[in-house]
Amino acid sequence: MSGQKFILGIDTGGTYTDGVLLDFKSRNVIKKIKILTTKHDLSVGILEALDGLLPKDRNSVALISISTTLATNSIVEGKGRPVALFLLGYDPELVHHFRFSDQFSTDKQFYFQGGHTLTGEEQAPLEINRVLQISQEVKSEIEAIAISGYFSPFNISHEEISAQKIIKETGLPVVTGYQLSSKLNSIQRATTASLNASLLSILTDFINSFESSLNKRGVTAPMMVMHSAGNLLKANEVRSRPVETIHSGPAASAIGAKILAGVENGLMIDIGGTTTDIAIIDQGKLKINEAGATVGKFHTAVRAADIRSIGLGGDSYLSLNTENKLVIGPERVTPLAYLVHKHPDTWQYLESLTNNQFTKRPTIDHFEFWFLLRKPKRPIRNTRALQVLKILEDNGPLPLPLILERLGVLHPMQLDVKTLFQEEIIGRSALTPTDLFHLTGEYSPWHQKASQIAAEKFAMLMKIDIMELITKAKRQIAERIVEEVVSFITGQTVDRLPSYAPINSLGSWLFEENIQPKSKYLSSNITLKMPIIGIGAP
């Protein structure tokens, strides 16, 4: 790095993009920036970050280091791109009997004869003609195909033959399991392959946005991406193996937490807009999970930092279950305060909810808005979904009841737009913890009155006042994080039963008594043997 002295570091999260310009020799932060992530077009936010950070002499930047939670967020929220999983030589009855198929990140699962034995011998001839037939049938509905062959680490031929012929016949990207993992666990390998396929276009768009933005600003320094285990990958490697960035952002947070807090042992809790990430620093090092990273319900074969990520953050969707109890997350939505700030026309509708002229009894649907994020890459065949896209394109953000009324339906399920949300073609705005923080004044950069109207109506539905709603939400978030920390450290499940069900196990009783002491005779006190390092919202 002779003659060059700056490192540019940028982290793209689901809600915010953070960046620093670092002096290489002194390790001092020269500049820093925090902006909203522009999910509809990542390059817009990246250019804004670069313009706020770059020195006049572009050649003085020696390295660009980036990290992201895009992969983690996509998995946690179930918003990976649509893919098909081809399983060669797997026993479908066995997979379904043990519910292994729940581990795969796609419902489009297809079983074919083929695969190999423990000694690498062919256990059945490959059904290549049927592989190609199914590829043709589904190609208009997906963005990539993942292939996992039984015992493929001992013989890759069936995966290789299938991949080469599918690419030639369909032009679709293909991910093979053996390239991602040499482990014998066939379910983990298939899970990793399907997740990798679902993240291909997301991370490719991310890398391309960065490279084009750097070119526009005349920066020629090499670009590296934080790996799940905390080391750096070349940007090109991420294009083919995006699943290895699963814990990229949280790993960067944990390493930064250790340095900034100046401790050798600690529990990092990083609460962002979309996820809460938990990690342990032990004797100055980030713990690594050699068995494979877990995100949400998915157990992968990716060597990664030992981090637990859950769908819980400042922008988590607040809803009610069938018992009228508060539910927080795992989906991230745009806070109403921000929506009205960016689209002032939406304020008139929210304000109407408080007028005497509004005769209907409000439901949570009345303060949920839909808006267009981007145009779809593939043709949409569903007529109702096309109508929804057209309405949003012509009118901008609209409240859900108005969309239903214009299309003459009674329930959003009738619109069949689940895929449009998963692929982030349509976005949602609703009440979030960020809106509640607008009311307490703890964080209120946008339209406070919009948050207040929605929160008042939400509290009314729960038959409580607005301050009790805020208290309940904060406590529920805190209790969920405590539950995840205890499970993460002990490796034991904390089964918290619904409030109406009696606790009948000692473990559940001890945990509940620690959270909400009720017993007259016994107490439970679970304590950490290390400090908490809070990042983000703690």
Side-chain angles (χ1 to χ4, degrees):
M1 299 183 69
S2 175
Q4 298 172 307
K5 59 178 182 177
F6 295 120
I7 297 176
L8 189 69
I10 296 179
D11 175 75
T12 301
T15 303
Y16 282 104
T17 293
D18 298 277
V20 294
L21 186 68
L22 190 76
D23 183 279
F24 175 68
K25 291 182 179 178
S26 68
R27 294 295 196 271
N28 290 329
V29 174
I30 309 302
K31 294 180 183 178
K32 60 182 177 179
I33 194 168
K34 188 180 193 73
I35 58 172
L36 285 165
T37 298
T38 52
K39 296 191 80 172
H40 66 284
D41 185 349
L42 291 171
S43 60
V44 174
I46 293 167
L47 284 170
E48 186 181 346
L50 292 175
D51 290 341
L53 294 171
L54 286 172
K56 289 182 179 179
D57 180 8
R58 303 297 199 246
N59 292 326
S60 64
V61 177
L63 179 70
I64 296 99
S65 176
I66 60 177
S67 61
T68 182
T69 58
L70 291 178
T72 304
N73 295 347
S74 296
I75 296 169
V76 168
E77 294 185 88
K79 290 183 176 177
R81 298 295 184 256
V83 300
L85 174 61
F86 286 11
L87 298 161
L88 314 179
Y90 283 64
D91 183 341
E93 290 185 12
L94 193 67
V95 171
H96 292 303
H97 177 74
F98 289 101
R99 303 192 67 174
F100 291 142
S101 56
D102 293 348
Q103 276 290 300
F104 306 144
S105 65
T106 176
D107 293 330
K108 288 184 169 62
Q109 303 163 17
F110 301 93
Y111 295 82
F112 305 91
Q113 286 185 11
H116 295 84
T117 66
L118 191 60
T119 57
E121 296 171 353
E122 192 178 80
Q123 69 174 9
L126 176 63
E127 288 185 288
I128 189 60
N129 290 334
R130 187 165 164 266
V131 166
L132 296 177
Q133 177 196 337
I134 300 296
S135 302
Q136 290 289 352
E137 290 175 4
V138 301
K139 72 175 184 179
S140 63
E141 304 169 17
I142 59 174
E143 291 191 10
I145 292 176
I147 302 174
S148 183
Y150 207 64
F151 281 124
S152 62
F154 292 128
N155 191 325
I156 66 173
S157 61
H158 283 185
E159 285 191 12
E160 277 284 86
I161 291 167
S162 300
Q164 290 170 9
K165 289 186 178 291
I166 290 171
I167 292 169
K168 185 178 179 180
E169 290 284 328
T170 68
L172 285 170
V174 176
V175 172
T176 52
Y178 83 87
Q179 290 179 312
L180 297 167
S181 173
S182 59
K183 294 180 179 178
L184 296 184
N185 188 318
S186 60
I187 302 302
Q188 262 194 340
R189 192 166 60 255
T191 299
T192 306
S194 62
L195 285 174
N196 197 71
S198 73
L199 297 171
L200 277 176
S201 63
I202 295 172
L203 269 296
T204 296
D205 289 347
F206 173 62
I207 297 298
N208 289 345
S209 295
F210 249 105
E211 289 184 340
S212 65
S213 299
L214 291 169
N215 288 334
K216 285 178 182 177
R217 294 300 182 261
V219 181
T220 58
M223 184 171 72
M224 306 291 281
V225 183
M226 179 71 76
H227 182 273
S228 300
N231 52 300
L232 294 175
L233 292 172
K234 291 179 180 178
N236 278 335
E237 294 179 56
V238 175
R239 281 194 175 92
S240 60
R241 303 167 72 92
V243 73
E244 294 190 1
T245 68
I246 279 178
H247 286 320
S248 169
S253 292
I255 294 167
K258 183 258 177 185
I259 294 169
L260 294 172
V263 297
E264 292 299 299
N265 299 290
L267 177 76
M268 181 206 76
I269 303 178
D270 180 359
I271 308 179
T274 308
T275 61
T276 292
D277 305 306
I278 304 165
I280 291 175
I281 307 295
D282 188 5
Q283 297 181 351
K285 294 181 180 180
L286 177 61
K287 286 187 69 178
I288 301 297
N289 186 343
E290 299 289 350
T294 297
V295 182
K297 66 176 184 178
F298 300 112
H299 304 291
T300 75
V302 178
R303 180 180 180 272
D306 194 9
I307 292 171
R308 178 170 292 212
S309 297
I310 58 172
L312 187 69
D315 295 346
S316 290
Y317 178 43
L318 298 187
S319 61
L320 298 173
N321 63 15
T322 53
E323 297 164 7
N324 224 33
K325 302 290 186 183
L326 179 65
V327 178
I328 307 177
E331 184 186 357
R332 176 197 175 272
V333 295
T334 297
L336 282 167
Y338 182 73
L339 179 82
V340 178
H341 170 74
K342 290 293 287 184
H343 301 277
D345 292 347
T346 56
W347 166 244
Q348 187 176 358
Y349 172 83
L350 275 176
E351 193 177 28
S352 74
L353 297 181
T354 64
N355 295 341
N356 293 330
Q357 297 174 351
F358 191 86
T359 55
K360 295 179 182 178
R361 185 174 185 270
T363 67
I364 59 173
D365 287 349
H366 282 95
F367 36 91
E368 177 177 319
F369 286 76
W370 292 5
F371 54 91
L372 191 64
L373 279 170
R374 61 171 66 86
K375 291 186 177 181
K377 291 181 178 179
R378 297 183 312 281
I380 303 297
R381 296 178 180 176
N382 183 289
T383 305
R384 286 255 171 87
L386 276 173
Q387 290 174 325
V388 172
L389 289 175
K390 177 65 174 169
I391 288 173
L392 297 179
E393 188 175 5
D394 292 344
N395 298 277
L398 287 176
L400 179 53
L402 193 56
I403 295 171
L404 298 178
E405 182 183 313
R406 290 192 182 185
L407 292 177
V409 298
L410 299 175
H411 195 276
M413 290 290 286
Q414 294 174 265
L415 299 178
D416 196 18
V417 291
K418 181 181 177 182
T419 302
L420 299 183
F421 284 115
Q422 287 176 336
E423 297 182 36
E424 297 189 313
I425 294 167
I426 293 177
R428 289 206 290 181
S429 178
L431 191 68
T432 66
T434 296
D435 288 298
L436 301 185
F437 295 143
H438 273 71
L439 305 185
T440 62
E442 292 165 282
Y443 181 73
S444 53
W446 303 312
H447 202 292
Q448 190 181 54
K449 288 185 177 179
S451 301
Q452 184 170 353
I453 287 175
E456 284 173 351
K457 299 301 178 187
F458 197 101
M460 183 182 74
L461 293 172
M462 293 183 68
K463 299 179 180 179
I464 58 177
D465 62 40
I466 197 167
M467 290 312 298
E468 190 175 351
L469 170 63
I470 293 169
T471 302
K472 275 182 176 291
K474 283 187 172 184
R475 184 171 186 87
Q476 192 164 314
I477 291 169
E479 288 184 6
R480 172 77 192 283
I481 293 171
V482 169
E483 177 184 343
E484 293 292 338
V485 166
V486 172
S487 294
F488 178 61
I489 292 175
T490 63
Q492 305 297 312
T493 300
V494 178
D495 290 322
R496 301 192 68 194
L497 298 171
S499 55
Y500 58 80
I503 296 173
N504 59 5
S505 75
L506 179 60
S508 296
W509 186 91
L510 290 170
F511 180 76
E512 291 292 345
E513 192 65 24
N514 179 78
I515 295 289
Q516 297 183 35
K518 294 177 182 177
S519 174
K520 183 179 178 181
Y521 308 111
L522 285 175
S523 65
S524 170
N525 186 20
I526 303 172
T527 57
L528 281 169
K529 295 181 178 180
M530 64 187 92
I532 291 175
I533 309 168
I535 293 179

